[in-house]
């Protein structure tokens, strides 16, 4: 039986999952650009309502209630937009009983790696040439098996020499 070149044992945590989710949403779905667009549109809507209220006040001396209501509604919408990604990610993490706080093991071989979650409850084999991408951040490697799903590898859990190995895989397979 072939021996792995590197073995990594770790555990899925909520913090790592949230960090992964935020990175993928920012890089793949342009999350910040969507937020800034929503903020700009909200500001334009509110400015229009304020201008309308100012015109109404000068002619009818009406209280600018629509500006206040619009500000509250847009404030809630923007707050919800800003916090919904972490809230949804927490819900997804908590619903997935297979990986929630689960220990996992990664065994890296010459042309593939094997992921085992909860012992052998879930075992998957991935060929390097079929991976979508390997992303390196300051704290983690994200081995993307498809464009929106991947394996989180904490750099603190990596054995000595693994950095060079994974960068070599990334270069060799153009990931």
């Amino acid at each position: 039986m072939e021996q792995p070149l590197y073995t990594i044992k770790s555990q899925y945590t909520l913090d790592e999952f949230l960090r992964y989710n935020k990175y993928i949403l920012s890089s793949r779905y342009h999350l910040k650009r969507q937020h800034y667009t929503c903020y700009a549109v909200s500001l334009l809507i509110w400015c229009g309502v304020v201008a309308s209220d100012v015109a109404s006040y000068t002619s009818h001396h009406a209280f600018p209630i629509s500006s206040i209501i619009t500000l509250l509604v847009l404030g809630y919408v923007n707050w919800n937009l800003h916090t919904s990604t972490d809230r949804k990610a927490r819900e997804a993490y908590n619903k997935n009983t297979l990986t929630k706080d689960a220990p996992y093991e990664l065994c890296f071989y010459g042309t593939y790696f094997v992921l085992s979650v909860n012992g052998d409850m879930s075992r998957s084999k991935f060929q390097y040439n079929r991976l979508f991408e390997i992303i390196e951040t300051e704290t983690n490697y994200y081995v993307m098996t498809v464009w929106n799903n991947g394996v989180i590898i904490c750099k603190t859990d990596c054995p000595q020499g693994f950095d060079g190995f994974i960068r070599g895989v990334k270069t060799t397979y153009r990931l």
Side-chain angles (χ1 to χ4, degrees):
M1 180 167 183
E2 186 180 6
Q3 293 296 314
L5 301 172
Y6 294 97
T7 301
I8 298 172
K9 293 183 180 186
S10 191
Q11 182 173 359
Y12 284 109
T13 63
L14 178 60
D15 290 338
E16 289 300 329
F17 183 76
L18 290 175
R19 183 179 295 139
Y20 165 79
N21 187 58
K22 208 171 274 188
Y23 181 85
I24 296 302
L25 287 175
S26 294
S27 65
R28 299 274 190 269
Y29 298 102
H30 309 289
L31 187 66
K32 288 183 182 180
R33 183 174 56 193
Q34 290 176 3
H35 283 196
Y36 291 139
T37 302
C38 188
Y39 299 151
V41 169
S42 297
L43 181 64
L44 290 173
I45 290 170
W46 189 67
C47 287
V49 172
V50 167
S52 173
D53 278 351
V54 166
S56 295
Y57 183 75
T58 56
S59 62
H60 303 296
H61 299 290
F63 189 72
I65 190 75
S66 58
S67 292
I68 295 168
I69 291 172
T70 303
L71 179 65
L72 292 174
V73 168
L74 292 176
Y76 173 75
V77 166
N78 284 307
W79 171 80
N80 194 21
L81 173 73
H82 187 71
T83 60
S84 67
T85 53
D86 279 352
R87 187 177 61 248
K88 288 178 182 176
R90 275 189 179 85
E91 288 173 11
Y93 179 82
N94 289 325
K95 283 182 183 177
N96 190 345
T97 56
L98 178 66
T99 59
K100 179 183 174 188
D101 297 325
Y104 67 92
E105 180 180 64
L106 290 159
C107 296
F108 288 87
Y109 298 89
T111 58
Y112 64 95
F113 74 94
V114 176
L115 169 66
S116 301
V117 180
N118 276 330
D120 281 338
M121 183 179 275
S122 175
R123 190 175 181 93
S124 302
K125 179 179 176 181
F126 300 97
Q127 298 288 333
Y128 298 141
N129 62 353
R130 295 196 177 197
L131 294 177
F132 184 76
E133 184 178 11
I134 296 175
I135 301 168
E136 182 177 1
T137 67
E138 290 181 25
T139 58
N140 297 321
Y141 292 105
Y142 302 131
V143 180
M144 305 301 291
T145 54
V146 293
W147 70 277
N148 64 349
N149 195 4
V151 179
I152 302 168
I153 303 173
C154 297
K155 286 185 176 180
T156 56
D157 298 332
C158 294
Q160 188 174 8
F162 181 77
D163 292 336
F165 170 77
I166 198 72
R167 288 180 188 133
V169 168
K170 185 175 180 175
T171 303
T172 302
Y173 294 96
R174 296 186 182 121
L175 301 172

